[in-house]
Amino acid sequence: MSYMPLGPEASRVAINASQLFEALEQHRTGARYVEGSMHWKRIKGRDYLYRCYTGGKNHSIGPRSEETEQTKAKFDTRKADYKTRDASLKEQLRLHAAYVRANRLNRFPLVGARVIRALQRRSIPFRIIGTNALYAYEARAGVRIDPQHLATADMDVLMDARQGLRIVAALEGDTLLSVIQASDKTFAPITAGQFEFRAGNANGYRVDLITQTANPMTMSDFEQQLETNDLKPVGIESLKWAIASPSFEAVVFDERGMPLRLTTIDPRAFLLHKWYAGHQPDRDALKRHRDQAQARIAASLLHYELRELPTTRAVERAFPHLLSQQVQAGLDDLEV
């Protein structure tokens, strides 16, 4: 078997740290209520209460009165309470990080984690696929996959071309490259060209932006909406199956022991896609063997560990029926 179950202490630490992170996530859903500031502005001899937001946006709430004074007092109190709780939860997470590291749960590459957080802060829709998806599956399954199956110096970021307008809107005038560079300023396009989709940092870690396409040789509407000098997600025809598959989430821990919400594709979709890739005759032999090994791991996790996943036809509808039949026929080879 290519993984080992977590021990009781490691499981306890993972559960406690994950629940604490989820409490922080829930707390931050209220950020919009305390965004910006409130202050008095004197206009023609009279004070007016203004609500100011990031980016210079502001609007008047009304002239000074008992009601507006109460509004400002409540806002200031709520904002102070929000900051206090936010700081407390973050400090608790930092303390838990030591226990996470001691139990060797700090698995996700730190460089990749920082890129993901940079994209999440901008509310850019994406999913992580490829080898890094295994971190989400092992976290939900409560196991530790053998390191040789996880070692990778790159990360595949899947973006749905159908959400192009939403992605561009979330960028707010910035570029995908500049958002990635916010996590590490040494990231730069690896080569220059119209179809540049990959950025690498000074240590050789790569981030590949990918999407679905009907014709990999043409630029999609989504790519055309991006800035001329920006990274352009490369279109891969078979990714239409992954795009159409359900999402899968888990809380993982980066190398510092800090939590990260990782969104990827359903492990059944991962299994089918890896099986398909691992049997393509034109794929590099080393990658083909790695794909097949990862398909076996996903199959074992689904059979033995992830039994709580409900039966769904969403994955079957997304992938060709013939491919599903081929995988089912090869389950004995997958050791499940």
Side-chain angles (χ1 to χ4, degrees), residues 121-140:
R121 281 193 292 270
R122 301 300 293 267
S123 299
I124 296 171
F126 69 96
R127 286 184 281 181
I128 299 300
I129 65 171
T131 297
N132 288 288
L134 290 171
Y135 290 104
Y137 306 149
E138 71 167 12
R140 283 277 291 270

Side-chain angles (χ1 to χ4, degrees), residues 66-117:
E66 183 177 346
E67 182 179 355
T68 53
E69 287 181 350
Q70 290 178 355
T71 297
K72 185 178 186 303
K74 289 179 181 178
F75 175 85
D76 291 342
T77 299
R78 189 171 188 174
K79 189 177 183 69
D81 290 345
Y82 178 89
K83 287 184 175 180
T84 298
R85 179 165 174 75
D86 195 77
S88 175
L89 289 170
K90 287 194 293 186
E91 179 59 27
Q92 291 180 62
L93 281 173
R94 282 191 284 270
L95 294 174
H96 274 72
Y99 295 101
V100 170
R101 294 193 300 271
N103 285 274
R104 295 186 296 119
L105 298 170
N106 53 323
R107 309 268 284 168
F108 200 87
L110 181 57
V111 177
R114 285 173 170 164
V115 171
I116 290 173
R117 292 187 180 106

Side-chain angles (χ1 to χ4, degrees), residues 5 7 20 36-37 44 67 97 155 170 188 211 222 230 235 261 290 312:
L20 182 59
S37 64
K44 295 182 178 180
E67 182 179 355
M155 183 170 69
T211 189
F222 168 38
D230 198 5
R261 182 163 297 281
R290 185 176 175 85
T312 176

